[in-house]
Structures are given as C-alpha cells and as structure tokens.
C-alpha cells in the first residue's frame, strides 16, 4: 500500500480512490445569527449533511485564513472549535481541525480530533511536539509568507521545485521528530502566496509532488480565486469551475479534495473513477 493514510481512529487506503473532505467553517461570519447552541446545532447538521453526501472527512476551521485577514487570538479560536469537535465525535468520519496553533492542536487532539490541517506546515514552535505523540493525520500545506502578506507579490524562480523542497523539508523535520510518514499528507496550498499562473502550474505538476515525496496529495481549490480568474465569476457562482478543478486535481493524482460542495464533488469523482483507471 503506497498510499495508506493514518488518521487517528481511522485509516485510509488511497491506492485506488480519491476522497472528499468537506469544509465546515466555524468562523463568526459563517453564521447568520445568535446563540452558541444554535451555532452548534447548525454545525452538526451541516456536518451530517456532508457525511450523508459522501464526505470521507470533515475539516473544521475556526481561524480565518483569508488573505489579508488578522490572526485569531488563541482563546477565541478554542472557543469556536472545541465545542464543535466534541459535538461531532459520533459522526463516523475523521474530524480534521484547520489550525496553526500548537495549543489548539493539543486541545483538539485531547477532545478526539483525528487530523490536524496546518496551512503553516507545522512551523510554529511547539507544533511538532503537539502532534508527535498521537496518531492523528497531518496535512502539511505550503504557504509563501503569511496570510496577511502572501498575496502582495508572490514570487518564485521555480514554483514546483520550491514547493516540493519546502514539503520535503517539513516531512523530514516531522519524521526526525519521530512522526510516522503514514500520518502525513501534503498540499501545494492553492492561493497561499501564489499567482493564478503559479496555481495552475502546481495543479499540472501534482503528479511530480506525489512521485517525489511519496505521500498522498490533498488539493483545496474549491471556490478559490484561481477558479474565479478563469471563469470570471464571483465566489457564489464557482461550483462548476470548482468541480472541473477537483477532477483535474484527481486526474493529476490528488487523493483528497477539500471542498464546500460535497454532494456535487462526490458525484463528479464517482463518474470520473468509473471512467478511469487510477495509478
Ligand atoms: C478565505 C480565503 C477563507 C481562503 C478561506 C480560505 C486550504 C486549507 C484553506 C487548502 C488546506 C479556503 C481557504 N484552504 N487547508 N484551508 N488546503 N489543507 O478557500 O487549500 O478554504 S482556507
């Protein structure tokens, strides 16, 4: 099994299938109204809906990584994420938490999270130590600069080589810290310090990332500006473009796609897989 991914309570053989990770936003702007009970009920029903639609994992995000946005204080991120991790324990699929903060990693792992998705690639002091002694899955994403500055002037001499070198360095740092490779998946980080051209170059070269680093690739391009730039549509009209992007990523060898529109993406991938032989 070249592509086994250990994810806390769960494990996936990704040799011959691609999975959909459903995005569950728990930032304040993703709720229309009021009380914390309502928020929790809403998060739970959204998550159940995504699982019924075929999501193989749920990614819980309490930190807005929107380009240019300020970082969220620790206490606030914990307040947003922890109740959701507890509420979703019985969902039956791995719970991933999108965070860069070692303190959040430790707390959500105690609460039963199965995966940590770090857009900062576990570079914060203490991040490796926070995840080392569990068996949670780990998504290492590439980002140039910080969310506050990354879209100002993205520059690379060779974007594919530089992203691969970064991910290789992080994999090496994690395995040197005693972390099993089977827990790691890698992500080129579409939109995180990249121009539209950089993003599509990376999309075309997912196969190279995968063969050089020998870990499953996770791709997140749902509704992103790289889709908008091609179709010329605002974020709420990017479903068809995002489906094409997800299939392109799978065709290039991605094994997990992180999306907002789970039902549609699952259908598209099922038809794609029925029509294609994976390798
Ligand atoms: C505003 C702008 C809000 C961008 C949210 C975003 C990825 C991720 C995000 C990704 C992994 C979004 C992003 N993107 N984690 N978290 N890979 N692993 O569009 O591409 O969801 S946040």
């Amino acid at each position: 099994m070249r592509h086994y991914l250990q994810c806390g309570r769960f494990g996936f053989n990704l040799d011959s299938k691609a999975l959909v990770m459903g995005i569950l936003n728990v930032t304040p702007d993703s709720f229309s109204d009021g009380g914390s009970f309502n928020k929790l009920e809403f998060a739970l029903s959204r998550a159940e809906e995504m699982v019924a639609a075929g999501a193989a994992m749920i990614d819980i995000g309490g930190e807005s990584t929107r380009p240019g946005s300020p970082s969220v204080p620790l206490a606030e991120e914990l307040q947003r994420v922890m109740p959701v991790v507890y509420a979703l324990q019985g969902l039956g699929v791995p719970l991933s938490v999108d965070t860069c903060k070692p303190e959040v990693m430790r707390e959500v792992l105690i609460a039963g999270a199965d995966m940590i998705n770090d857009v900062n690639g576990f570079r914060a002091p203490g991040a490796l130590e926070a995840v080392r002694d569990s068996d949670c899955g780990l998504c290492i994403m590439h980002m140039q600069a910080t969310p506050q500055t990354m879209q100002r002037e993205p520059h690379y001499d060779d974007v594919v080589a530089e992203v691969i070198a970064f991910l290789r360095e992080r994999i090496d740092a994690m395995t040197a810290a005693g972390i099993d490779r089977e827990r790691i998946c890698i992500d080129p980080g579409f939109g995180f310090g990249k121009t539209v051209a950089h993003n599509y170059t990376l999309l075309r070269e997912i196969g190279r990332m995968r063969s050089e680093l020998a870990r499953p690739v996770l791709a997140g391009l749902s509704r992103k500006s790289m889709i908008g730039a091609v179709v010329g549509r605002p974020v709420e009209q990017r479903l068809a473009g995002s489906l094409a992007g997800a299939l392109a990523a799978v065709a290039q060898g991605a094994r997990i796609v992180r999306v907002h529109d789970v039902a549609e993406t699952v259908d598209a991938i099922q038809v794609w897989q029925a029509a294609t032989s994976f390798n």
Side-chain angles (χ1 to χ4, degrees):
M1 274 197 294
R2 278 190 307 143
H3 277 106
Y4 179 79
L5 180 65
Q6 181 64 43
C7 249
R9 299 169 289 166
F10 303 84
F12 294 105
N13 175 5
L14 300 174
D15 283 345
S16 56
K17 67 167 177 260
L19 306 178
V20 170
M21 167 187 265
I23 300 170
L24 184 68
N25 277 318
V26 295
T27 48
D29 51 306
S30 55
F31 299 102
S32 48
D33 66 82
S36 55
F37 179 73
N38 278 321
K39 288 183 191 178
L40 215 47
E41 283 288 288
F42 182 77
L44 181 56
S45 69
R46 263 298 287 152
E48 284 170 343
E49 181 180 45
M50 290 195 284
V51 171
M57 41 180 85
I58 299 293
D59 189 39
I60 303 163
E63 186 182 39
S64 179
T65 34
R66 201 178 305 273
S69 68
S71 60
V72 178
L74 171 63
E76 189 169 339
E77 193 180 333
L78 282 171
Q79 259 174 34
R80 291 179 191 174
V81 167
M82 290 297 285
V84 181
V85 174
Y86 284 119
L88 269 50
Q89 268 308 297
L91 204 58
V93 301
L95 304 177
S96 162
V97 176
D98 193 337
T99 187
C100 303
K101 295 188 181 74
E103 300 88 343
V104 175
M105 296 175 189
R106 286 184 187 277
E107 294 297 322
V108 299
L109 288 172
I110 291 168
D114 300 287
M115 181 167 184
I116 303 293
N117 171 25
D118 184 353
V119 300
N120 198 36
F122 301 91
R123 284 179 288 173
L128 296 182
E129 292 79 2
V131 300
R132 185 181 54 203
D133 299 327
S134 79
D135 60 357
C136 70
L138 303 161
C139 181
I140 308 176
M141 200 194 79
H142 174 272
M143 168 167 58
Q144 186 178 76
T146 68
Q148 290 73 44
T149 61
M150 64 191 181
Q151 290 307 111
R152 276 183 204 162
E153 232 168 51
H155 174 81
Y156 301 84
D157 292 321
D158 180 338
V159 67
V160 178
E162 288 172 44
V163 168
I164 289 175
F166 170 84
L167 294 171
R168 187 190 308 280
E169 188 277 326
R170 296 315 300 154
I171 294 172
D172 289 348
M174 296 184 101
T175 52
I179 291 167
D180 196 328
R181 300 179 71 84
E182 290 199 328
R183 296 170 56 193
I184 299 174
C185 64
I186 53 175
D187 183 338
F190 295 114
F192 286 83
K194 283 118 190 158
T195 64
V196 172
H198 291 143
N199 287 321
Y200 282 97
T201 300
L202 286 166
L203 179 52
R204 282 192 297 272
E205 299 291 345
I206 283 174
R208 215 172 108 198
M209 285 179 51
R210 180 186 153 205
S211 61
E212 290 195 23
L213 299 173
R215 293 310 304 147
V217 174
L218 186 153
L221 23 68
S222 183
R223 302 181 185 174
K224 282 186 178 173
S225 56
M226 66 183 288
I227 304 296
V230 171
V231 299
R233 296 185 192 283
V235 65
E236 66 277 8
Q237 293 171 25
R238 294 178 187 167
L239 172 58
S242 296
L243 292 174
L247 291 186
V250 171
Q252 297 294 344
R255 286 299 197 254
I256 304 173
V257 287
R258 180 182 175 277
V259 305
H260 301 88
D261 303 288
V262 171
E264 294 86 346
T265 310
V266 168
D267 281 2
I269 289 177
Q270 280 179 327
V271 173
W272 180 266
Q273 291 192 134
T276 323
S277 50
F278 260 22
N279 46 55

